[in-house]
Amino acid sequence: MAFALIVGLGATVPATADTPYPFRDPTLPVSKRVDDLLGRLTLDEKISLLHQYEPAIPRLGIQSFRTGTEALHGVAWLGKATVFPQAIGLASTWDPALMEQVGSAVGDEARGFQQQRPDGWGLNLWAPVVNLLRDPRWGRNEEGYSEDPELTGALSTAYGEGLTGGDPNHLKTAPTLKHYLGYNNEVDRATTSSDLRPRVEKEYDEAAFKPAIAADAATGVMTSYNLVNGRPATVNPDLDDVVRTWTGQDLLNVTDAFAPGNLVTPQQYYPTIAEGDAAALKAGVDSFTDNSADPGPTTTAINSALQQGLLKVSDIDRAASDILSVRVRLGEFDPGGGTYGSIDASVIDSPAHRQLARKAAAEGTVLLKKSESLPLKATQRNVAVVGPLADTLYTDWYSGTLPYAVTPAQGIASKLGTGVATSEGVDRIALRDTATGKYVTAGTGDTGAPLQETTNTPTTTAQFDAFDWGSGIVTLRSAANGKYVGYNWSNFVNDQTQPNGWYVQQQFKLEQQDDGTYLLRYAGYETAESWWSSPVYLGPTDANGTLGLVTKDQAAHYAKDVVRSGVADAVAAVKGKDTAVVVIGSMPSINGREAHDRTDMSLAPSQEALVKAVHQANPKTVVIVENSYPTTLGAVQKEVPALLWTSHAGQETGNALADVLYGDVNPSGRLTQTWYRSEADLPSILDYDIIKSDRTYQYFQGTPLYPFGYGLSYTTFRYGTLKPVAGGYEVPVTNTGTRAGDEVVQLYTHQRTSRDKEPLKQLKAFQRVSLKPGETKTVRLNLRQQDLAHWDVTRSKWVVESGTYDVMAGASSADIRTRTTWQVHGETVPPRNLSRTTRAENFDDYSAVHLVDESKASGTAVRSAADGAWLKFADTRLGAGATRFTARVAGTATGTIEVRLGSPTGKLLGTAQTDGTASPYDYKTVTADLSSAAKGRTDVYLVLSDGLRLSTFSLK
């Protein structure tokens, strides 16, 4: 979702009207109340409900309503509220019960804010994000839960249960799952298409969204920005044809911000907003998030679509009914606001929520590497906490406003009851223009001042702390007032508490030249936008030496004077200490976020150098990596004896880390993604076929840095024999150590033989278990035969194949402690029968093709991307012989389809030719006679020429 939605966050508590309309009668069924209210609305009033900002309808006593309060890890953008760990941190708890508690707390706080918003209801929450973390370079990795659909489904369902309150007819809040579907890249996100072959779509992407909807733990989905198989997700017919089939409840589906307008530009899918909005409504969208708080363009477009016959009044009624169903269930029309109407602002950042935030942050911390020094001893009180994140907390784009902040240094000091030595470990520098001899200076006071070249001596106003965030990006914090320097579209001013904003205008690069001087380059995110045309280098622009943007040939050449070495300062702080804690990691506005994928998976070089120097100065070093995604870690992973990971974990980060470091909490967090050793382990971020490209732990054949499900403990656990029981499996687990702790028992399966390529391992169940030293508990893990199903492309149905399945339980996907086998009596997938009309998308393998939209309204076709592109249809029974090939094709170019056996270069049976069609959506039938060799049971290949679209075919 985009930044403009910050505007106009009003909502209200409805008045209790005396008019005895049935829609205000809470004793009536929801459907009757909705029908009554819908019947009282005029057509214009119904249309007014279809925009994000729904106006009041005074004649019925109905007040305004707004979709879209952000609640990813706490209520955001409304003021101070409890800030829980980032979503990736919450997920690392592997604790559905805790997730439900956090969701309930967030739902309560949303209700608390509701009492303070007199302009309209704002209880439709846009959370959780259930897009699978297929690629750790995704800029929005922090917003998701896991690379695995089973884990994501369980955790999102739990969070949603907390948000809704557990009763779909009496909603605490109305959560919306983001973002449907196949959304996992920010680069060109509005114009790139995610190719989701049927197995990937069914087994992977849809599988993450279905559980929460099926459990009535979410009340709708938000469409994503990208295209899916060539069709913008905003007009994806699956919104109705698939998503609504998962539940008997009415769903309120919304678009992402500005996405309806994207249908015209830049997607160029429809020529007018009226046509685009009509198509979205017919596909299953109910509410349009467009033009910020101005509903005018949307209502005008809907009216125009009605006049043109693109929509019927019944289409409006359906969408309005979906919206009203959620509003009724939220209690808006009930006396006092319904079941949850009495929740007030006292719940916001309550003591109970603070305690829960601390628990979540501790439970989500993952121990990556342990030494005998952990847990630390509270008697060793001479401690240094160093590093760029040692004494600060950063918030991300979807974070609420911190009501308070406990930094790692503060949390450790509080735990010890004494002060700790600190150092950020960053260089303090001064920049001297070599042409004038003058230093760049900043202002004092909270508002700072525009940067100027004013002095010949490096006074405090001329000093800046240079934080290195990797990829050459630095931020400059003025020593004069402790504020960061940023661009305000006119000047460079030191006035920001932390890097922030949609464009993050506090980013710079120091580019070293051959003569040893540096050019100061402005690297705010807007400079990467296509519309940016201004220069990017800094230099004096007036007689006062005020810095502005200039061309490279006019850029000032600066000498970089190191006033204070960050490494030396940190080394001095840790020498002789009982323990050195180094906190490194990311700045969540810089190192990957919405609209910006990561290009570098490693630590910033200066951070790696800092850790190395500190460890050499004090061998008793513990490193904490605080970021939002898997990191390659480099030498840090190899050299330091103790290593922990946490997300940006909210207001209680410091207390939670201290709890874990000092053993008051035994670490039990587990990784929800594969941590790769190198970017070389990954294909293009735009490659969505996890099966063919061997992505995620399910298919990855290399050796990861840390595997999915990994996490250590201060104690040890022994697994007994895994045994089948009714409805699943059970395994005894014993705490064989000296400390109480939680183990996350994970159940995986593997299908030994199959018609299709199957995962190496696949998570099917998991369970946290708390064990005292020496205690044994039997852990029950549910697994049914239908849970083994995969999507059979030959018949477009779920299938459980007969055969031997490995069932494995362990501490991670790579740490299997006990296993057994299951002889499953399912079915055998029969050979393909290509004499029936077969959809081209249901191939088994392919080369140089893309999945595309068969028509703008529905269907998927295959488009060849090069001459010689091919599709494989395995294990086909041609019987006594096929004599004729028939295909439905489109595309403006002439071309051919060759039918071959055994391989793309195998026996040629026949060739169909097309002389092109009028448009990519104008299909025609082509045929070819087949040679007598077309018989028996074999693999059939279709070899396509460039640009051809193939919808369906048959061999008869």
Side-chain angles (χ1 to χ4, degrees):
M1 196 196 80
F3 61 95
L5 295 183
I6 297 173
V7 178
L9 294 171
T12 190
V13 177
T16 55
D18 295 328
T19 308
Y21 293 130
F23 75 81
R24 292 193 178 276
D25 184 353
T27 67
L28 292 177
V30 171
S31 60
K32 289 188 177 295
R33 299 176 70 184
V34 170
D35 289 345
D36 175 70
L37 178 50
L38 188 67
R40 297 179 188 279
L41 299 178
T42 67
L43 179 58
D44 283 344
E45 288 169 340
K46 294 173 186 176
I47 293 173
S48 76
L49 301 179
L50 305 187
H51 187 263
Q52 179 187 20
Y53 289 84
E54 303 173 29
I57 304 174
R59 68 182 185 84
L60 293 175
I62 296 174
Q63 301 195 29
S64 59
F65 184 91
R66 175 189 178 275
T67 63
T69 295
E70 298 293 347
L72 186 60
H73 54 107
V75 180
W77 303 357
L78 298 182
K80 292 181 179 179
T82 307
V83 178
F84 293 95
Q86 291 176 304
I88 185 67
L90 290 173
S92 298
T93 66
W94 288 60
D95 191 342
L98 178 65
M99 292 290 288
E100 184 171 352
Q101 293 174 34
V102 172
S104 182
V106 175
D108 284 348
E109 294 201 11
R111 279 280 176 174
F113 277 110
Q114 181 65 53
Q115 302 286 7
Q116 302 175 341
R117 290 180 278 178
D119 297 328
W121 274 50
L123 294 173
N124 172 239
L125 307 187
W126 286 353
V129 170
V130 297
N131 296 108
L132 292 164
L133 304 183
R134 165 197 67 101
D135 194 306
R137 296 167 296 190
W138 185 34
R140 304 182 75 167
N141 197 86
E142 66 196 27
E143 299 180 36
Y145 288 152
S146 168
E147 68 182 32
D148 181 76
E150 173 68 29
L151 180 59
T152 297
L155 297 178
S156 58
T157 298
Y159 191 68
E161 290 279 6
L163 292 174
T164 63
D167 180 353
N169 290 320
H170 299 87
L171 298 169
K172 182 189 294 185
T173 64
T176 301
L177 304 183
K178 301 187 340 184
H179 311 78
Y180 195 87
L181 185 71
Y183 173 38
N184 196 221
N185 65 273
E186 297 302 292
V187 58
D188 299 327
R189 63 179 180 173
T191 55
T192 54
S193 180
S194 305
D195 282 10
L196 302 182
R197 59 194 281 198
R199 281 194 64 198
V200 174
E201 184 166 4
K202 295 294 183 183
E203 296 174 24
Y204 194 64
D205 287 272
E206 284 182 9
F209 280 83
K210 183 177 179 179
I213 296 291
D216 294 325
T219 58
V221 301
M222 172 189 283
T223 60
S224 53
Y225 284 119
N226 56 287
L227 295 81
V228 177
N229 296 343
R231 181 180 297 107
T234 308
V235 291
N236 187 343
D238 287 356
L239 294 170
D240 272 346
D241 299 344
V242 175
V243 178
R244 292 191 197 275
T245 67
W246 295 336
T247 177
Q249 292 286 344
D250 293 328
L251 298 178
L252 166 52
N253 294 331
V254 307
T255 73
D256 209 334
F258 308 112
N262 287 348
L263 290 168
V264 178
T265 303
Q267 291 168 343
Q268 299 182 349
Y269 205 70
Y270 289 101
T272 66
I273 293 295
E275 290 168 276
D277 283 5
L281 202 69
K282 292 175 77 69
V285 164
D286 301 305
S287 178
F288 292 83
T289 313
D290 210 4
N291 301 290
S292 298
D294 179 10
T298 296
T299 56
T300 298
I302 296 297
N303 275 302
S304 176
L306 282 168
Q307 293 166 9
Q308 296 178 57
L310 301 173
L311 289 173
K312 299 176 181 178
V313 172
S314 59
D315 296 318
I316 310 300
D317 286 348
R318 179 200 55 77
S321 177
D322 291 336
I323 294 165
L324 293 175
S325 175
V326 169
R327 292 179 66 170
V328 166
R329 287 183 277 154
L330 282 169
E332 179 182 353
F333 309 122
D334 292 358
T339 305
Y340 300 100
S342 62
I343 299 176
D344 61 25
S346 65
V347 300
I348 299 173
D349 189 39
S350 66
H353 291 180
R354 292 182 175 191
Q355 184 178 7
L356 184 62
R358 183 170 181 168
K359 175 179 172 64
E363 206 171 289
T365 300
V366 180
L367 179 59
L368 298 176
K369 191 176 180 182
K370 64 179 178 179
S371 68
E372 294 179 356
S373 63
L374 287 177
L376 302 176
K377 297 178 176 60
T379 54
Q380 297 175 328
R381 300 161 61 82
N382 192 13
V383 174
V385 186
V386 302
L389 282 81
D391 204 21
T392 189
L393 293 187
Y394 290 123
T395 54
D396 59 52
W397 179 250
Y398 287 102
S399 173
T401 303
L402 292 169
Y404 60 89
V406 182
T407 70
Q410 291 169 340
I412 291 171
S414 177
K415 178 73 66 176
L416 295 175
T418 187
V420 297
T422 63
S423 168
E424 290 177 313
V426 300
D427 288 344
R428 178 162 290 185
I429 65 172
L431 298 173
R432 178 174 51 84
D433 189 330
T434 57
T436 64
K438 293 186 180 297
Y439 284 90
V440 176
T441 59
T444 57
D446 284 345
T447 58
L451 297 192
Q452 293 178 287
E453 295 181 1
T454 63
T455 179
N456 293 102
T457 57
T459 60
T460 300
T461 57
Q463 297 175 16
F464 301 89
D465 297 320
F467 290 79
D468 173 19
W469 299 111
S471 300
I473 296 293
V474 299
T475 53
L476 301 174
R477 188 183 64 195
S478 171
N481 66 352
K483 295 294 185 71
Y484 287 86
V485 175
Y487 185 53
N488 63 9
W489 305 103
S490 298
N491 298 113
F492 292 92
V493 183
N494 58 315
D495 61 353
Q496 298 298 306
T497 302
Q498 73 163 53
N500 65 89
W502 183 252
Y503 291 115
V504 194
Q505 295 174 307
Q506 298 80 32
Q507 299 181 85
F508 300 90
K509 289 186 177 182
L510 284 165
E511 297 182 350
Q512 189 168 18
Q513 305 301 295
D514 291 340
D515 62 0
T517 63
Y518 291 84
L519 302 186
L520 183 57
R521 180 188 180 101
Y522 172 51
Y525 275 155
E526 72 269 33
T527 61
E529 296 285 347
S530 59
W531 47 260
W532 180 265
S533 59
S534 299
V536 293
Y537 290 94
L538 275 65
T541 56
D542 60 23
N544 296 323
T546 303
L547 293 191
L549 290 172
V550 298
T551 58
K552 186 173 184 178
D553 62 318
Q554 295 176 314
H557 285 247
Y558 292 109
K560 184 178 74 171
D561 297 345
V562 178
V563 178
R564 182 189 66 208
S565 164
V567 167
D569 191 63
V571 165
V574 304
K575 277 187 174 178
K577 297 297 191 290
D578 296 329
T579 303
V581 178
V582 189
V583 192
I584 56 175
S586 70
M587 201 285 129
S589 288
I590 293 174
N591 298 106
R593 50 152 287 180
E594 182 172 1
H596 294 274
D597 293 317
R598 295 165 64 204
T599 57
D600 187 345
M601 290 172 60
S602 60
L603 291 169
S606 66
Q607 294 188 17
E608 197 165 332
L610 173 68
V611 171
K612 183 174 183 178
V614 168
H615 183 224
Q616 287 177 343
N618 189 329
K620 293 173 288 188
T621 292
V622 177
V623 174
I624 298 169
V625 178
E626 183 180 336
N627 65 18
S628 316
Y629 39 70
T631 306
T632 53
L633 293 180
V636 170
Q637 192 274 337
K638 298 176 183 176
E639 296 174 6
V640 298
L643 183 62
L644 297 95
W645 174 86
T646 180
S647 69
H648 294 281
Q651 63 201 52
E652 286 287 341
T653 298
N655 284 332
L657 287 174
D659 288 342
V660 171
L661 287 171
Y662 286 91
D664 295 320
V665 172
N666 194 338
S668 58
R670 301 292 184 265
L671 299 180
T672 66
Q673 291 176 268
T674 302
W675 282 41
Y676 298 96
R677 294 181 180 274
S678 167
E679 288 92 340
D681 288 331
L682 296 167
S684 165
I685 196 172
L686 300 179
D687 182 348
Y688 277 76
D689 190 346
I690 68 164
I691 299 174
K692 188 175 179 69
S693 59
D694 295 330
R695 297 177 77 101
T696 81
Y697 81 95
Q698 291 191 26
Y699 295 96
F700 182 59
Q701 299 189 46
T703 302
L705 181 67
Y706 292 115
F708 172 82
Y710 176 87
L712 301 177
S713 170
Y714 294 152
T715 190
T716 54
F717 300 96
R718 183 180 66 241
Y719 285 60
T721 301
L722 182 67
K723 296 180 179 179
V725 294
Y729 285 80
E730 63 181 23
V731 57
V733 180
T734 303
N735 183 341
T736 54
T738 59
R739 289 178 173 271
D742 284 10
E743 173 70 324
V744 179
V745 181
Q746 302 163 40
L747 187 74
Y748 296 88
T749 62
H750 168 65
Q751 185 174 343
R752 289 189 180 180
T753 59
S754 172
R755 178 197 181 279
D756 302 304
K757 181 178 179 179
E758 292 295 327
L760 303 172
K761 289 190 185 76
Q762 193 169 12
L763 182 72
K764 293 297 183 182
F766 63 94
Q767 184 70 50
R768 286 181 68 97
V769 57
S770 299
L771 294 167
K772 299 174 183 177
E775 184 180 13
T776 299
K777 289 183 180 178
T778 298
V779 178
R780 170 67 181 265
L781 299 155
N782 295 330
L783 181 67
R784 305 161 301 168
Q785 182 166 309
Q786 55 262 46
D787 297 329
L788 302 175
H790 75 273
W791 188 253
D792 173 20
V793 293
T794 72
R795 296 171 294 172
S796 295
K797 58 175 282 188
W798 292 99
V799 61
V800 178
E801 292 181 284
S802 296
T804 301
Y805 291 71
D806 294 309
V807 184
M808 303 161 279
S812 80
S813 60
D815 186 6
I816 301 301
R817 306 290 185 85
T818 179
R819 65 175 64 216
T820 186
T821 58
W822 185 3
Q823 298 299 321
V824 173
H825 301 289
E827 60 178 303
T828 300
V829 177
R832 278 189 182 271
N833 179 3
L834 297 184
S835 68
R836 297 190 298 242
T837 299
T838 299
R839 297 204 62 82
E841 65 181 302
N842 285 325
F843 50 73
D844 290 294
D845 198 3
Y846 62 95
S847 175
V849 301
H850 290 293
L851 295 170
V852 294
D853 48 340
E854 182 177 10
S855 73
K856 289 192 174 183
S858 64
T860 297
V862 173
R863 177 179 63 80
S864 58
D867 286 333
W870 53 262
L871 302 173
K872 176 184 178 181
F873 297 87
D875 191 24
T876 294
R877 175 175 288 156
L878 297 175
T883 61
R884 194 154 183 86
F885 171 72
T886 303
R888 189 166 174 262
V889 299
T892 57
T894 60
T896 61
I897 306 176
E898 298 176 346
V899 183
R900 294 182 178 270
L901 297 184
S903 79
T905 58
K907 177 72 175 178
L908 176 64
L909 300 183
T911 303
Q913 304 208 20
T914 174
D915 55 2
T917 61
S919 82
Y921 305 115
D922 181 19
Y923 286 85
K924 70 177 183 180
T925 299
V926 297
T927 62
D929 292 330
L930 302 179
S931 74
S932 59
K935 62 178 63 176
R937 185 169 174 178
T938 186
D939 297 339
V940 172
Y941 285 78
L942 302 183
V943 183
L944 315 177
S945 57
D946 188 20
L948 187 145
R949 285 183 175 225
L950 174 63
S951 170
T952 60
F953 71 96
S954 64
L955 281 75
K956 295 186 178 180

